[in-house]
């Protein structure tokens, strides 16, 4: 499900619809806001539009995310084991010069500083010669398997890149619909998950 937040770009209208229609195996559709409603309202529009779909999980990904092969299955499987789990996928950087994946960052946790600014920090217990301080090297666009891909607890997460049980998302209050700017949802969703008995990984 793609959410168009009142885009005025020509290629995101009829051309996008025609492109998706040419690949019915994608099972993708576009939900369009009639006007610009902002990041949080657009995410809520997408979540609401998915309420009648058969899936039991919601996975939020910002438009700049490029998933790799095998990225979704571990998230969905972990939530199936415990519906209170909320998982943030590994978010690698892509090199600007050659579009290569620069590192999976799979040993990072979300933290915040005294200014309440969210950022990623390497897990101290994994700083060794196998992983390095910035993450796991990934020579391909395939998600890792094995113990290095197992979920682990994280204090906070990126508020727009996570998987959650659909009913649990609404039980904890979903996104705060009064938020109008990017950034605060990182901590707000993280604190809400912890305070409502969730498991953030």
């Amino acid at each position: 499900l793609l959410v168009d937040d009142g885009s005025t770009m020509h290629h995101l209208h009829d051309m996008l619809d025609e492109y998706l229609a040419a690949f019915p195996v994608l099972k993708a559709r576009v939900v369009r806001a009639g006007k610009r409603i902002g990041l949080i309202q657009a995410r809520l529009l997408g979540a609401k539009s998915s309420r009648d779909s058969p899936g039991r999980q919601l996975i939020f990904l910002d438009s700049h995310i490029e998933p790799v092969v095998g990225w979704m299955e571990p998230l969905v499987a972990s939530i199936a084991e415990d519906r209170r789990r909320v998982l943030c996928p590994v978010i690698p950087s892509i090199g600007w010069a050659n579009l290569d994946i620069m590192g999976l960052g799979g040993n990072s946790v979300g933290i915040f500083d005294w200014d309440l600014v969210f950022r990623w920090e390497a897990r101290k217990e994994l700083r060794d010669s196998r992983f390095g301080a910035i993450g796991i090297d990934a020579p391909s666009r395939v998600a890792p398997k094995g113990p290095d891909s197992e979920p682990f607890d994280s204090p906070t997460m990126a508020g727009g890149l996570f998987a959650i049980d659909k009913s649990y998302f609404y039980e904890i209050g979903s996104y705060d619909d009064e938020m109008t700017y990017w950034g605060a949802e990182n901590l707000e969703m993280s604190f809400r998950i912890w305070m409502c008995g969730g498991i953030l990984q």
Side-chain angles (χ1 to χ4, degrees):
L1 181 66
L2 304 173
V3 178
D4 177 356
D5 184 16
S7 175
T8 58
M9 296 181 178
H10 173 70
H11 66 278
L12 295 178
H13 291 276
D14 292 341
M15 289 176 65
L16 177 58
D17 293 336
E18 291 168 11
Y19 179 82
L20 292 175
F23 298 97
V25 71
L26 293 178
K27 297 182 181 179
R29 64 185 173 98
V30 180
V31 174
R32 299 187 191 282
K35 61 178 183 171
R36 184 69 52 124
I37 58 177
L39 178 66
I40 298 301
Q41 291 296 329
R43 289 179 185 161
L44 286 169
L45 174 63
K48 181 180 178 184
S49 299
S50 75
R51 280 190 121 159
D52 296 328
S53 67
R56 293 190 310 249
Q57 290 94 12
L58 292 172
I59 301 177
F60 292 93
L61 297 176
D62 286 343
S63 60
H64 59 84
I65 300 299
E66 180 182 344
V68 297
V69 174
W71 69 276
M72 185 174 61
E73 291 84 350
L75 302 177
V76 173
S78 188
I79 293 169
E81 291 174 6
D82 187 336
R83 64 183 292 275
R84 298 171 306 135
R85 285 185 179 153
V86 180
L87 290 101
C88 186
V90 171
I91 306 167
S93 296
I94 297 176
W96 65 270
N98 54 16
L99 299 181
D100 283 346
I101 294 179
M102 296 168 51
L104 285 181
N107 64 343
S108 298
V109 295
I111 64 168
F112 61 96
D113 59 24
W114 289 109
D115 292 325
L116 296 179
V117 175
F118 170 83
R119 71 173 201 263
W120 294 106
E121 179 72 25
R123 290 171 65 202
K124 301 215 182 301
E125 69 267 29
L126 292 181
R127 287 190 181 187
D128 64 24
S129 59
R130 278 192 326 144
F131 295 95
I134 61 167
I136 303 166
D137 290 329
S140 68
R141 293 179 184 261
V142 177
K145 293 182 174 37
D148 296 337
S149 65
E150 293 298 316
F152 49 84
D153 291 349
S154 181
T156 61
M157 67 172 190
L161 311 165
F162 65 95
I164 189 170
D165 179 90
K166 193 184 296 188
S167 60
Y168 186 65
F169 178 70
Y170 289 103
E171 283 173 27
I172 65 172
S174 74
Y175 282 113
D176 180 344
D177 62 3
E178 294 294 318
M179 285 189 184
T180 56
Y181 297 101
W182 171 88
E185 79 280 9
N186 297 328
L187 301 182
E188 193 268 343
M189 283 300 293
S190 299
F191 297 156
R192 185 186 302 230
I193 291 162
W194 286 120
M195 291 188 299
C196 294
I199 303 163
L200 182 54
Q201 298 181 318

